Amino acid sequence: MSHNINPNLVEPRWLQTLLIAVALFFLLLMLVIPLTAVFYEALRGGWQLYLASLSSDEARSAIRLTLLTAAIVVPVNAVLGIAMAWLLTRFDFYGKQLLTTLLDLPFSVSPVVAGLMFVLLFGAHTLIGGWLEAQGIQVIFAIPGIILATLFVTFPFVARELIPLMQAQGDSEEQAALILGASGWQMFCRITLPNIKWALVYGVILTNARAMGEFGAVSVVSGHIRGETNTIPLLVEIFYNEYNFIGAFALSSVLALLALATLALQNLITRIQEKKLAAAERSAA
């Protein structure tokens, strides 16, 4: 049975070609060329100079601090994201809409403002910060401040990936498991977690990428103490301002590789989901 398509509802070939050309030109100009320039500048002095830049004391300290921050922030926000998504999708309570709105606060507030909030809260001359320093705990211009600032700016990613999925799935399977005698932990591990695992992984990937690349909030709370509180993005700025272009672009290439790995992993997860969905549709048919 043939179907006639109204030619008025189909874009002409020349318009399709023009739109594709504009999109490709934009991607080439804004993404491909700058990314290629980063790797070119990083390797322009040769591999030895590139590796020497990455193995300097400051670079190794920045890489360690960045990995440490991500290693703490990602699991914490994964747990908090699951808890927040569970709260907002499984319970009705007064103030739920307000809490849902506040969840997006890190998206709407400038990272610089977020960093300043922590300075005003935990600074040495504040009530809380002064008391903590009296106990020997320094938050601002130290690693705890960097971790807190990164936690704040990356907090919504996992929850925002889970909430739409958990709302669409509902809680019928979980209620059935509880009725059949499963404990709350068994229900979560065998029903909830398998159903949300891909969205959780996707949210964790986004959280990790943002944690490693965060600049604004970390810049405010770090104090830029060389060899101690500089993450990779902060050290890139310092090297560039000091005309150490090889070091700046070498560290930038590390962040670029992390971004490319993140995109590749996201694409892999999407393909796996599509294959599983297609298999489920075939088995249902």
Side-chain angles (χ1 to χ4, degrees):
M1 184 182 200
S2 61
H3 297 276
N4 294 325
I5 300 176
N6 188 343
N8 294 324
L9 301 179
V10 179
E11 295 83 359
R13 176 66 62 180
W14 68 267
L15 181 57
Q16 297 179 26
T17 304
L18 177 62
L19 292 175
I20 292 173
V22 170
L24 291 176
F25 176 76
F26 177 81
L27 291 175
L28 182 68
L29 182 64
M30 302 301 294
L31 297 177
V32 178
I33 293 178
L35 191 61
T36 304
V38 167
F39 287 101
Y40 172 78
E41 292 292 338
L43 297 170
R44 188 170 60 173
W47 280 102
Q48 290 185 344
L49 189 56
Y50 176 80
L51 295 176
S53 299
L54 293 180
S55 60
S56 67
D57 291 339
E58 284 189 89
R60 284 185 296 174
S61 175
I63 293 172
R64 282 197 302 268
L65 180 55
T66 302
L67 294 176
L68 173 64
T69 302
I72 295 174
V73 166
V74 172
V76 171
N77 271 342
V79 173
L80 293 177
I82 293 173
M84 182 64 71
W86 185 280
L87 174 66
L88 294 177
T89 59
R90 298 296 184 260
F91 299 97
D92 289 321
F93 53 91
Y94 182 76
K96 178 178 178 179
Q97 186 59 46
L98 176 61
L99 186 59
T100 304
T101 303
L102 290 176
L103 180 61
D104 291 329
L105 187 63
F107 288 148
S108 57
V109 173
S110 167
V112 175
V113 176
L116 183 59
M117 288 191 304
F118 283 104
V119 172
L120 295 176
L121 185 62
F122 295 106
H125 301 292
T126 63
L127 182 62
I128 299 176
W131 181 84
L132 288 173
E133 290 209 1
Q135 311 306 312
I137 302 173
Q138 183 177 353
V139 176
I140 302 302
F141 305 151
I143 294 176
I146 295 173
I147 293 174
L148 284 175
T150 309
L151 278 170
F152 177 83
V153 299
T154 59
F155 174 73
F157 286 101
V158 172
R160 275 303 171 196
E161 291 298 323
L162 295 179
I163 288 173
L165 177 63
M166 294 178 69
Q167 285 177 333
Q169 290 176 344
D171 62 349
S172 58
E173 293 184 28
E174 297 163 356
Q175 293 294 335
L178 293 175
I179 291 173
L180 293 174
S183 65
W185 183 249
Q186 289 174 326
M187 178 267 294
F188 176 77
C189 292
R190 298 184 181 182
I191 303 297
T192 306
L193 195 57
N195 286 340
I196 65 172
K197 62 181 178 180
W198 293 116
L200 177 60
V201 171
Y202 192 76
V204 166
I205 291 172
L206 293 178
T207 302
N208 182 70
R210 179 63 185 274
M212 289 190 173
E214 175 56 31
F215 178 85
V218 172
S219 178
V220 175
V221 302
S222 71
H224 296 273
I225 303 173
R226 304 192 74 139
E228 295 185 21
T229 62
N230 281 327
T231 59
I232 294 178
L234 301 185
L235 192 58
V236 167
E237 183 196 32
I238 291 173
F239 279 170
Y240 190 83
N241 290 336
E242 294 178 349
Y243 303 102
N244 182 3
F245 298 124
I246 298 296
F249 283 109
L251 287 171
S252 297
S253 69
V254 173
L255 291 177
L257 288 173
L258 290 172
L260 292 174
T262 299
L263 291 175
L265 192 54
Q266 288 178 353
N267 186 57
L268 177 62
I269 291 173
T270 301
R271 288 179 179 272
I272 292 175
Q273 288 178 302
E274 290 176 349
K275 288 181 180 179
K276 288 194 172 185
L277 181 60
E281 290 176 349
R282 285 195 300 268
S283 88

